[in-house]
Amino acid sequence: MKSYHLIFKQKLPISIRETWDFFSSPMNLAQITPKEVAFRVTSAPSHIDEMYPGMIITYKISPIAGVNLNWMTEITQIRKEKYFIDEQRFGPYKFWHHQHHFKTIEGGTEMTDILTYALPMGILGRIANKIFVADKLQQIFNFRKEKVIELFGTYPEILK
């Protein structure tokens, strides 16, 4: 199985608590996902109020126009205001392991996403990754970065 590894970092001009409160709520994911992905949480909001290990979250997504998919992830690990990990249990990937790390820095929070994924269908999956999937994931995280700036402002690079 061929796997892929992506890392995304972003500095936010808000406290670790504000960062955690926003990113640990699955209900906020749609706000920071491009509209064309048609991402929506289908879990009952009352069942996903506060994140915990073992939490199952279900979604609908449309990674390709007109193709609607069900996606289920599990929160496998969590350390409040430090990190959480979600793993796919059912969905479009053969393997999905997404680490979300948070660290207090001067003037705000540094957020790091570490994503490891694999696609089904062997060579066809590798071809799909090369011509579509890797770029689509990059676009989604680029959109998220811009949306986070829109929501929380630009992190001021502090000169020493």
Side-chain angles (χ1 to χ4, degrees):
M1 173 176 69
K2 172 74 173 153
S3 63
Y4 306 94
H5 192 73
L6 302 171
I7 298 175
F8 304 96
K9 288 187 179 235
Q10 185 169 6
K11 294 177 181 177
L12 293 82
I14 57 175
S15 71
I16 192 98
R17 168 173 253 150
E18 291 171 284
T19 304
W20 179 264
D21 288 347
F22 183 82
F23 287 95
S24 67
S25 171
M27 299 312 291
N28 290 327
L29 284 172
Q31 281 186 69
I32 57 173
T33 304
K35 296 287 183 225
E36 65 269 12
V37 177
F39 180 95
R40 66 183 174 90
V41 176
T42 56
S43 297
S46 61
H47 293 110
I48 56 174
D49 282 344
E50 187 173 335
M51 192 179 286
Y52 58 87
M55 173 185 269
I56 298 291
I57 309 164
T58 57
Y59 319 89
K60 290 253 187 218
I61 61 169
S62 182
I64 302 169
V67 177
N68 293 306
L69 300 172
N70 292 311
W71 196 4
M72 178 186 290
T73 61
E74 177 183 357
I75 303 302
T76 58
Q77 297 179 45
I78 187 170
R79 185 162 170 218
K80 190 171 183 171
E81 296 183 2
K82 297 289 184 194
Y83 67 87
F84 66 91
I85 299 171
D86 65 87
E87 296 181 1
Q88 177 185 281
R89 291 298 173 245
F90 175 84
Y93 296 89
K94 185 171 187 175
F95 179 82
W96 176 274
H97 184 269
H98 186 182
Q99 300 176 49
H100 310 253
H101 294 268
F102 307 93
K103 177 174 75 172
T104 297
I105 57 173
E106 187 174 353
T109 303
E110 182 178 72
M111 177 174 67
T112 304
D113 287 276
I114 302 169
L115 175 60
T116 304
Y117 69 97
L119 297 169
M121 301 185 292
I123 188 80
L124 294 176
R126 288 193 290 279
I127 292 168
N129 189 67
K130 192 168 194 84
I131 64 173
F132 173 74
V133 176
D135 286 342
K136 188 68 169 177
L137 287 170
Q138 186 68 52
Q139 289 171 11
I140 288 169
F141 278 89
N142 288 346
F143 177 90
R144 184 181 84 167
K145 185 174 189 172
E146 292 304 313
K147 198 66 174 170
V148 166
I149 290 169
E150 188 180 304
L151 290 168
F152 301 111
T154 302
Y155 178 81
E157 290 298 330
I158 299 168
L159 302 175
K160 302 263 179 195

